[in-house]
């Protein structure tokens, strides 16, 4: 199965702020840019569209498909008390604790990377069972990195650690194609 993973358009949040599970709208101009780019690429065509229920992903999905499937397993990581805080105001010892245990530490009391990996892996397994040749998935950089890392084989623990250790370089509206 081929997955076309699309990172949501740029959210309406100040630069340098931590946002994960917070349900932020996307900037309207960036949504229009991403919508145009995807339709110019012929996406989604006749393939099904799956999306995170967070509005920065969901609004784009609703513009691309009359019947997108909303799946909470595609939502971004929950950063708990860190949500909507400037990264510079988060205590250095908390960030160091997360770096020391990327898989198990729960930033701000939210989710840990392994918890996110388990829900993304469940989505991936369900996609493999659909029998579809291809699907468009609109989600977040965290889910995209995890899905990509899972394609590299190994255990879920290994994939989650690869994803968490990989520098984040996925642009808003960027398309990543994966074979699963």
């Amino acid at each position: 199965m081929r997955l076309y993973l699309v990172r949501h358009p740029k959210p309406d949040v100040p630069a340098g702020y931590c946002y994960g599970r917070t349900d932020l709208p996307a900037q309207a101009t960036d949504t229009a840019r991403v919508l145009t780019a995807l339709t110019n690429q012929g996406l989604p065509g006749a393939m099904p569209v799956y999306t995170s229920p967070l509005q920065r992903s969901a609004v784009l999905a609703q513009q691309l498909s009359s019947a997108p499937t909303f799946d909470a397993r595609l939502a971004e990581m929950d950063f708990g008390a860190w949500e909507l805080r400037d990264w510079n105001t988060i205590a250095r010892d908390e960030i160091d604790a997360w770096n020391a245990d990327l898989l198990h530490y729960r930033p701000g009391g939210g989710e840990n990377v392994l918890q996110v990996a388990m829900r993304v892996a469940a989505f991936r397994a369900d996609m493999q069972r659909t029998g579809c040749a291809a699907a468009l998935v609109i989600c977040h950089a965290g889910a995209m990195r995890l899905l990509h890392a899972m394609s590299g084989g190994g255990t879920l623990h290994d994939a989650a650690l690869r994803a968490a250790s990989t520098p984040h370089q996925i642009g808003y509206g960027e398309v990543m194609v994966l074979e699963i």
Side-chain angles (χ1 to χ4, degrees), residues 100-146:
D101 189 3
L102 289 172
L103 295 185
H104 302 102
Y105 185 80
R106 295 175 53 223
E111 288 180 291
N112 66 42
V113 171
L114 201 52
Q115 289 171 312
V116 178
M118 288 188 289
R119 62 180 165 81
V120 170
F123 170 80
R124 184 179 188 273
D126 285 350
M127 292 306 298
Q128 289 175 301
R129 287 191 285 272
T130 66
C132 290
L136 183 75
V137 179
I138 302 169
C139 58
H140 310 269
M144 291 175 73
R145 289 166 56 198
L146 283 161

Side-chain angles (χ1 to χ4, degrees), residues 36-97:
T36 299
L38 293 173
T39 55
N40 285 345
Q41 294 175 56
L43 295 172
M47 71 181 87
V49 175
Y50 294 84
T51 185
S52 160
L54 299 179
Q55 62 182 315
R56 58 189 182 265
S57 296
V59 168
L60 177 63
Q62 291 170 316
Q63 291 176 354
L64 288 166
S65 171
S66 60
T69 300
F70 299 92
D71 196 317
R73 297 174 297 183
L74 294 169
E76 187 58 281
M77 184 169 162
D78 182 351
F79 287 95
W82 292 9
E83 292 279 337
L84 292 183
R85 287 183 54 196
D86 186 314
W87 281 102
N88 294 322
T89 68
I90 299 169
R92 184 75 226 168
D93 62 330
E94 290 182 51
I95 292 175
D96 290 344

